[in-house]
Amino acid sequence: MTAGAFVTRFAPSPTGPLHLGHAYSAILAHDMARAAGGQFLLRMEDTDLERCKPVYEAAIADDLAWLGLAWDGPIHHQSSKIPHYNQRLEALSTKGLLYPCSCTRTDIRAALAAPQEGVAHAVYPGTCRGRAMASRLPGDALRLDLAAALGDLAPMGLQFAETGPAHAGTHVVDPDVARRLIGDVVLSRKGEDIVAYFLASAFDDADQGITHVVRGDDLFDFTPIQVILQRLFGLPTPIYHHHPLIRDDQGKRLAKRDDARALSKYRAEGASPADIRRMVGL
Ligand code: GLU
């Protein structure tokens, strides 16, 4: 990376129309790139082949163009890189850091006798840990053996810089905290050979030369696992900027299916791109 380079991206999943929250994210990333004389790339995170639709992708591109956000280069599609992601995953398998897992959500809940304290989602209890890759059945997911992976990494390198308002500073990923809060995450989904979002995204950030990741605060908690994966694959760690989420009048986060706030609706009602910027506080 050249000193002072700034390459960022907007990475929507084309599973629905863009809402004000996406508009905020895209405008912010675009404006930061342009202010730094850098690049603003567009990436479709479309590995979920059932939920992602070309019609949503076309609508996203149209909304961005209407907002005046021109992206540099062609649109990058994760769906075209699935064999490439799986090939890279092989390296972890060779190192003995992956294992097949046949547990269902119900199995996992049952194995976790008591709710885990301070943990937002169920951390996998490790039922299938130790299974050989050769025992993988067609319906099995692949999990990362996190303790083994952390053992392979020098803890010194597990850190990232954050410039977003809520968490600005340097964050060190503590291996004990990672084991307790992250655990053995699924890297490849059940039987589909599609790598998890946060892995595909880490590969693409490196492949696209992303120096700055600008995205919503809801993804801040994914960053430590992405940093661990970056170290495991020898990838660079970009600078992160997690921005506040746009909420509705009731303080509820805008979800993609919240059509009432779809950008297209404001457009149809005659709002201008400047109105949208005002509405999201830019
Ligand atoms: N595809 C993710 C989303 O739409 C964004 C991922 C990212 O920016 O890292 O929420």
Side-chain angles (χ1 to χ4, degrees), residues 6 28 32 160-171 211-215 217 220 223 238-244:
F6 192 111
L28 189 63
M32 285 172 76
F160 63 97
E162 165 70 38
T163 59
H167 315 273
T170 300
H171 293 264
T211 61
H212 293 72
V213 169
V214 180
R215 63 185 182 187
D217 248 344
F220 179 77
T223 314
I239 293 170
Y240 289 88
H241 185 98
H242 292 91
H243 59 71

Side-chain angles (χ1 to χ4, degrees), residues 115-123 180-182 221:
Q116 296 162 304
E117 214 178 311
V119 176
H121 61 279
V123 171
R180 196 164 56 79
L181 298 186
I182 299 172
D221 289 344

